[in-house]
Amino acid sequence: MIQFERFSLENGLKVIFHKDTTTPLAVVNTLYDVGARDEDPEKTGFAHLFEHLMFGGSVNIPDFDAPLQHAGGESNAFTSNDITNYYDVLPAQNIETALWLESDRMLSLGFTPKSLETQRSVVIEEFKQRYLNQPYGDVWLKLRPLAYHTHPYQWATIGKEISHIEDAKMEDVKAFFHKFYNPSNAILCIAGNFELDEVKRLVEKWYGDIPSKMKPARILTAELPQTEFREQIIERNVPSDAFYYAFKMSERKSAEYYITDMLSDALGRDKSSRLYTSIQKEQKLVTEIGAYITGSLDNGLLVISGKLSPDVTFEEVDTAIWKVLSEIQTEKISTKELDRLKNKIKTAKAFQEQGLLNRAMNLAYFELLGDADGVNQEAILYEQIQPEHILANAQDILQKTNCSLLKVKAIQS
Amino acid sequence: MSLRNTAPAIHPLQKIQFVEPHIFDITPTVKLYWMQPVPDETTRIEFHFDAGTIRGNRKIAGFVNSLLLSGTADKTSTQINQELDGLGAYLDQEIAQELAIVSLYCLKENVEKAVAILVNAIQEVAFHEHEISDMLREKKQQFLVSSEKVSVLVRRAFQKQLFSNSENYNRQLELSDLEDVSVLDLKRFHKEFYLQGLRKVIVVGDVEPAYIDRLIDTVGAWSKPGICEFEKDFINIPGRLHIEKKDAVQTAIRMGIPLFNKTHEDFLDFQILQTIFGDYFGSRLMSNIREDKGYTYGIGCGVAESNNAGYFIIATEVGKDVADATLTEIKNEMDLLKVELVPQEELDLVKNYLLGQILKSADGPNAMMDLYMAAHLHGKDFEYYNDAIQHIQNISQERILALANKYLNWDKFTIVTAGTKV
């Protein structure tokens, strides 16, 4: 059970406070309700590029990191297709330094040309390091547009192509800031050994004078229901053939989300899962296989991916995978298997909640979903899942007409 | 808005509350370390074995480590995995040069059962032929994939150059090693380095005291008799080596020198120097090579410690066109630290940052245990960190300059690059 208090400022900033009397540290976590899905299709990679610029100095403070380090702290951030999340961890007695820095960059950025120029290069190197210079590194750049035809999940957070980042202009950067970076579009979570009154006073002091703005309306092009099997083959200079089966699943807020999460665990989370034991261990058709969900806010994907053993064909593996998928759609899983999945989830959650930073991030994320207390309800939602739920969900999702298959054919160049 | 133009006052670090683990002698040289005050249901148990890659031949240690849960005469690997998963347990097997670690993460209520399954699996592993061939097939696949990464190619070559005088430390797995292996060799290694190779047990969890006694009874027979030998003097091959990798858009760089560990008198102060140089976001290397030039997504340095030695390493991946320019800038930054005093403001910032890092690395029972073990490996206890705080608070600009001149000598560095030469 993660305890928290909630309040908001007149300018629309939502604040969550989580008290932990055992730690000498404080966390200041700021979630902005903007991600790659909010980008212009011709200017992709922008939410992420912008995250880099947030460290390039704000309107009253030329350097973000140095004062925080001087206070004994450090900071980082990540961007997903849905959100941009910034966090600072520092000794509790210096929390004001973090509030000073975070509130100033919520007020306005420095927008120096040098910062834009440098971060463009840094992000391009990140693009190369993560997506281009790794074997199989670009599969998500291909799989997304195969699975999504109209929804902005069709591009990755890094962007569709390097040129979108190269072409970013200062005016684009400023427009992005003014649209998405304001108190009504943010959730601030503060964690540490403080009193609520003190937190309220400090937040009011640093954030109270930031002008309010309308929360930007989000009107995204919905993804039309998929009605046909999709397949694409790409050739790459990699050691072995690989496959990615992507099935559309529910949005994050639906009850089915948790069932599909557990379904993916049953299929391919660990070494007692069905795909692993059948296709890798018994039939030896693959050298690795797994199943997982993307966890996105709008309709997500359940993905089954793996690599073929030498001298095995895509057809052989395909037949074997559909056989496993057919089994889970025809016969209810045993309570023993279900308990195994539930126990793994319980353990994972207990370890995740050990970290102060994790707790702060989760509270902010669930507040975005509608209620920070959702973080405490999740365990019950998993616990309530029954074999018939898994069966129905599997029948619903694991259909060929709901599947996009990307194959990576290994070639020697 | 004058409020915003002035930084809030900084308050100095208060005293860190260290919590010592309980220590139990399994034998005079093998101990169990227990961190009991854990405010939740989680339990972490680690078994440390003298079964690192320096033992046996080039491949055997990694093979045995991968096969530890591959089945016994009575149980298949899948049965073992199902039993552990049924208890909600997570398992981690890792191997380094000087040790192999098997870690178990689960809830307190399941720990005794999960450990019993794990211990039986390790004790009775049968090395079935089909499990061995599965393992070889999967390792071959992983080897081929990792060989496509410049970060892996550069690491393999770097280790060869850095530990040039020690075959045990510099050897690297090769594709031909993955063709076959003798079952007898696996069994011999398992018997010598696991069943008689336990060096430490670590427990972080609020388990019953009586369980600690039972755990010692369960695994005590695995204790390593006598003392483990580790290399202490490494000789590197200085100078540059390039590993060509076709069609790579980035070049990976690793450079370093043999150095020391916590037992050396310069260790603490060198940590401060190398932090300034490249070990935090605002470091000289990051400021110059990432934030000014935009050559890379990241660059950093660090000191890696082993039982009797250590080394200093600088690592980055940069655009292939700027690999040489990056090396030039690294050298410039080294040279600058040798001729110019670090500005007091920068030194103060790094001091505060490092004090904050120590506070962070002592937050929570798991971090506290890791912090303790890092000192204990070199015969020290928490007093070491109080010493570290003193060193950080007292170090002068002149001392940094002197250390830079003593240790940052470009000509002594091994420099390895992997990528596409332009």
Side-chain angles (χ1 to χ4, degrees):
Chain A
M1 183 76 181
I2 305 176
Q3 304 286 349
F4 67 93
E5 304 276 353
R6 176 196 281 126
F7 62 97
S8 55
L9 302 191
E10 273 182 31
N11 59 18
L13 180 68
K14 287 185 187 152
V15 188
I16 303 285
F17 164 53
H18 165 59
K19 182 167 179 165
D20 181 340
T21 56
T22 67
T23 178
L25 299 172
V27 169
V28 175
N29 187 79
T30 315
L31 184 158
Y32 287 94
D33 186 4
V34 56
R37 66 177 169 163
D38 298 304
E39 292 161 350
D40 178 335
E42 301 309 314
K43 291 174 183 172
T44 65
F46 227 83
H48 171 251
L49 172 65
F50 194 85
E51 172 216 312
H52 279 248
L53 296 171
M54 282 283 278
F55 293 88
S58 53
V59 57
N60 295 296
I61 310 169
D63 183 3
F64 181 86
D65 284 291
L68 190 66
Q69 288 151 358
H70 188 65
E74 60 185 344
S75 176
N76 213 332
F78 63 83
T79 308
S80 74
N81 291 76
D82 296 318
I83 62 164
T84 314
N85 191 78
Y86 300 83
Y87 54 92
D88 314 305
V89 182
L90 76 172
Q93 69 269 26
N94 291 333
I95 187 172
E96 269 205 90
T97 302
L99 298 175
W100 169 61
L101 290 162
E102 288 293 353
S103 64
D104 202 56
R105 68 180 178 180
M106 187 182 289
L107 181 66
S108 187
L109 284 191
F111 298 116
T112 64
K114 168 74 182 166
S115 172
L116 177 57
E117 185 196 330
T118 304
Q119 293 310 319
R120 255 200 305 248
S121 306
V122 170
V123 170
I124 288 167
E125 290 308 320
E126 183 180 358
F127 201 132
K128 292 182 194 164
Q129 186 170 328
R130 290 191 169 170
Y131 295 84
L132 305 182
N133 215 30
Q134 305 288 340
Y136 313 97
D138 65 341
V139 294
W140 278 94
L141 302 182
K142 299 290 172 192
L143 185 58
R144 284 185 170 279
L146 186 66
Y148 293 102
H149 285 181
T150 46
H151 189 281
Y153 283 165
Q154 65 190 269
W155 57 84
T157 50
I158 196 77
K160 283 183 194 168
E161 48 193 280
I162 285 182
S163 69
H164 285 190
I165 297 160
E166 285 169 339
D167 295 342
K169 306 273 188 304
M170 184 58 88
E171 63 200 64
D172 302 330
V173 172
K174 285 187 177 170
F176 195 87
F177 180 83
H178 291 305
K179 182 165 180 194
F180 295 110
Y181 281 75
N182 67 64
S184 64
N185 208 36
I187 297 165
L188 175 67
C189 181
I190 293 175
N193 188 10
F194 306 105
E195 297 301 330
L196 177 62
D197 289 348
E198 188 188 1
V199 170
K200 280 185 173 169
R201 183 182 65 79
L202 290 173
V203 172
E204 185 61 51
K205 174 180 172 186
W206 290 107
Y207 292 82
D209 66 351
I210 301 175
S212 67
K213 263 190 211 163
M214 288 278 284
K215 184 174 168 65
R218 173 173 287 119
I219 304 163
L220 301 180
T221 319
E223 183 68 18
L224 297 173
Q226 185 173 338
T227 53
E228 78 296 341
F229 174 67
R230 300 171 187 168
E231 182 175 333
Q232 188 185 350
I233 302 174
I234 57 174
E235 293 187 335
R236 289 292 182 271
N237 185 16
V238 289
S240 57
D241 297 342
F243 54 84
Y244 301 80
Y245 291 79
F247 297 88
K248 296 266 173 51
M249 62 174 280
S250 70
E251 56 171 1
R252 180 67 181 80
K253 283 195 207 181
S254 91
E256 280 79 41
Y257 173 88
Y258 294 95
I259 302 171
T260 310
D261 188 26
M262 212 174 251
L263 171 66
S264 75
D265 289 353
L267 288 172
R269 174 173 180 145
D270 46 39
K271 288 184 172 174
S272 53
S273 66
R274 290 171 176 229
L275 290 166
Y276 179 85
T277 51
S278 167
I279 294 174
Q280 180 160 345
K281 211 59 208 167
E282 286 161 26
Q283 304 178 62
K284 307 189 190 309
L285 296 172
V286 297
T287 55
E288 63 176 73
I289 192 162
Y292 43 90
I293 60 170
T294 52
S296 53
L297 289 177
D298 295 328
N299 291 57
L301 299 173
L302 182 157
V303 181
I304 296 169
S305 66
K307 296 191 176 73
L308 269 54
S309 294
D311 306 320
V312 170
T313 65
F314 279 117
E315 288 70 30
E316 288 171 89
V317 172
D318 188 68
T319 307
I321 287 178
W322 284 107
K323 185 163 177 288
V324 172
L325 299 185
S326 153
E327 281 161 10
I328 207 164
Q329 292 176 66
T330 43
E331 214 176 302
K332 277 198 275 189
I333 73 168
S334 67
T335 45
K336 192 176 171 187
E337 184 177 353
L338 192 63
D339 284 345
R340 221 159 56 207
L341 304 174
K342 288 180 179 177
N343 286 341
K344 294 282 282 208
I345 289 171
K346 255 164 75 177
T347 307
K349 196 164 170 65
F351 275 94
Q352 280 159 16
E353 286 184 0
Q354 281 194 316
L356 187 71
L357 177 59
N358 268 335
R359 272 175 270 150
M361 277 185 189
N362 270 329
L363 285 167
Y365 188 69
F366 276 91
E367 185 68 6
L368 177 74
L369 288 177
D371 182 359
D373 194 46
V375 74
N376 296 315
Q377 306 302 322
E378 242 190 349
I380 303 162
L381 292 172
Y382 281 115
E383 199 50 53
Q384 286 171 342
I385 293 173
Q386 297 303 318
E388 51 270 27
H389 298 132
I390 304 269
L391 184 75
N393 191 246
Q395 289 167 349
D396 191 29
I397 287 176
L398 302 174
Q399 298 296 330
K400 196 140 191 181
T401 51
N402 189 39
C403 177
S404 304
L405 170 59
L406 179 71
K407 295 177 183 170
V408 183
K409 182 82 197 141
I411 50 161
Q412 301 301 317
S413 70
Chain B
M1 296 286 281
S2 64
L3 177 71
R4 295 194 178 277
N5 295 320
T6 322
I10 300 294
H11 307 283
L13 179 79
Q14 280 132 22
K15 199 171 160 51
I16 297 177
Q17 296 294 327
F18 293 111
V19 183
E20 302 260 350
H22 300 292
I23 303 177
F24 298 78
D25 288 341
I26 302 177
T27 72
T29 50
V30 180
K31 294 177 201 303
L32 180 145
Y33 304 83
W34 179 29
M35 187 67 74
Q36 185 181 16
V38 175
D40 53 52
E41 296 299 302
T42 65
T43 309
R44 159 185 158 209
I45 297 197
E46 285 182 11
F47 300 102
H48 291 213
F49 296 95
D50 180 35
T53 57
I54 58 167
R55 306 295 182 215
N57 62 30
R58 183 164 62 196
K59 56 187 181 179
I60 200 88
F63 290 177
V64 174
N65 186 255
S66 299
L67 288 165
L68 282 177
L69 295 207
S70 64
T72 64
D74 305 328
K75 285 185 205 167
T76 65
S77 59
T78 300
Q79 281 171 321
I80 294 169
N81 287 319
Q82 284 177 345
E83 287 179 12
L84 286 170
D85 286 339
L87 295 166
Y90 288 80
L91 204 64
D92 193 26
Q93 286 148 263
E94 57 176 290
I95 185 162
Q97 284 179 324
E98 295 181 345
L99 86 167
I101 304 176
V102 178
S103 316
L104 182 80
Y105 301 87
C106 66
L107 299 184
K108 192 166 70 176
E109 61 194 21
N110 295 322
V111 70
E112 186 149 13
K113 282 184 191 161
V115 167
I117 294 164
L118 176 64
V119 167
N120 177 261
I122 294 176
Q123 178 76 40
E124 303 291 334
V125 56
F127 296 107
H128 296 300
E129 282 293 350
H130 64 275
E131 290 285 348
I132 295 170
S133 58
D134 285 357
M135 182 271 296
L136 289 174
R137 193 177 67 247
E138 286 159 25
K139 277 210 183 298
K140 196 167 174 178
Q141 162 76 43
Q142 289 158 5
F143 184 88
L144 290 170
V145 172
S146 63
S147 299
E148 292 295 314
K149 300 179 184 179
V150 291
S151 59
V152 172
L153 297 177
V154 79
R155 188 189 68 221
R156 290 178 189 156
F158 177 73
Q159 289 194 347
K160 280 190 183 174
Q161 301 294 99
L162 189 73
F163 307 124
S164 74
N165 60 320
S166 172
E167 153 71 16
N168 284 349
Y169 282 77
N170 71 34
R171 59 194 172 196
Q172 301 293 320
L173 194 68
E174 284 167 21
L175 198 54
S176 57
D177 296 330
L178 299 167
E179 292 306 321
D180 61 66
V181 62
S182 124
V183 177
L184 194 61
D185 287 351
L186 293 171
K187 287 184 172 169
R188 276 196 192 128
F189 187 92
H190 173 253
K191 190 173 172 195
E192 182 176 356
F193 296 107
Y194 283 94
L195 300 189
Q196 295 166 35
L198 184 70
R199 292 179 51 210
K200 270 176 211 151
V201 179
I202 290 174
V203 181
V204 183
D206 188 20
V207 295
E208 293 293 321
Y211 176 62
I212 299 294
D213 294 332
R214 292 203 292 281
L215 180 60
I216 290 172
D217 289 343
T218 310
V219 298
W222 288 350
S223 297
K224 173 103 187 165
I227 308 285
C228 300
E229 297 292 333
F230 299 105
E231 183 66 53
K232 65 176 195 297
D233 297 307
F234 291 104
I235 301 166
N236 68 320
I237 299 173
R240 192 165 166 188
L241 174 72
H242 178 73
I243 308 296
E244 184 66 13
K245 164 85 174 72
K246 208 168 51 160
D247 301 327
V249 293
Q250 281 192 321
T251 296
I253 300 173
R254 298 289 180 275
M255 53 183 290
I257 43 168
L259 205 66
F260 39 61
N261 59 32
K262 289 190 180 66
T263 56
H264 193 278
E265 58 184 11
D266 285 340
F267 181 86
L268 281 171
D269 289 347
F270 185 83
Q271 281 295 335
I272 304 166
L273 165 65
Q274 71 98 24
T275 302
I276 295 169
F277 180 57
D279 199 17
Y280 77 114
F281 196 86
S283 70
R284 299 281 180 98
L285 292 180
M286 278 291 271
S287 302
N288 179 344
I289 293 162
R290 174 176 145 136
E291 292 298 305
D292 185 54
K293 309 280 188 319
Y295 289 168
T296 181
Y297 179 49
I299 181 164
C301 67
V303 178
E305 295 179 81
S306 55
N307 278 275
N308 293 335
Y311 63 91
F312 176 56
I313 181 171
I314 303 165
T316 185
E317 267 98 78
V318 301
K320 63 178 178 180
D321 306 335
V322 291
D324 286 339
T326 300
L327 287 171
T328 304
E329 291 304 327
I330 295 172
K331 182 169 187 304
N332 289 344
E333 292 298 341
M334 270 191 203
D335 290 344
L336 199 62
L337 283 167
K338 290 156 76 171
V339 294
E340 271 183 28
L341 289 176
V342 177
Q344 191 61 46
E345 196 184 350
E346 182 181 355
L347 184 57
D348 287 343
L349 181 150
V350 168
K351 287 179 177 194
N352 287 350
Y353 169 75
L354 282 171
L355 293 172
Q357 288 293 304
I358 295 180
L359 190 68
K360 196 176 157 192
S361 59
D363 188 36
N366 278 294
M368 189 69 80
M369 181 61 113
D370 293 340
L371 195 68
Y372 180 84
M373 295 311 295
H376 183 71
L377 182 65
H378 303 292
K380 299 177 186 299
D381 57 19
F382 280 128
E383 203 40 49
Y384 169 80
Y385 298 101
N386 287 324
D387 256 13
I389 293 168
Q390 290 295 314
H391 273 260
I392 293 166
Q393 283 165 343
N394 297 336
I395 197 165
S396 67
Q397 297 160 288
E398 291 75 17
R399 170 78 172 143
I400 298 284
L401 185 91
L403 278 179
N405 277 286
K406 191 168 172 187
Y407 294 110
L408 301 183
N409 297 309
W410 183 263
D411 295 340
K412 294 190 174 169
F413 274 78
T414 292
I415 303 170
V416 183
T417 52
T420 304
K421 203 137 201 174
V422 287

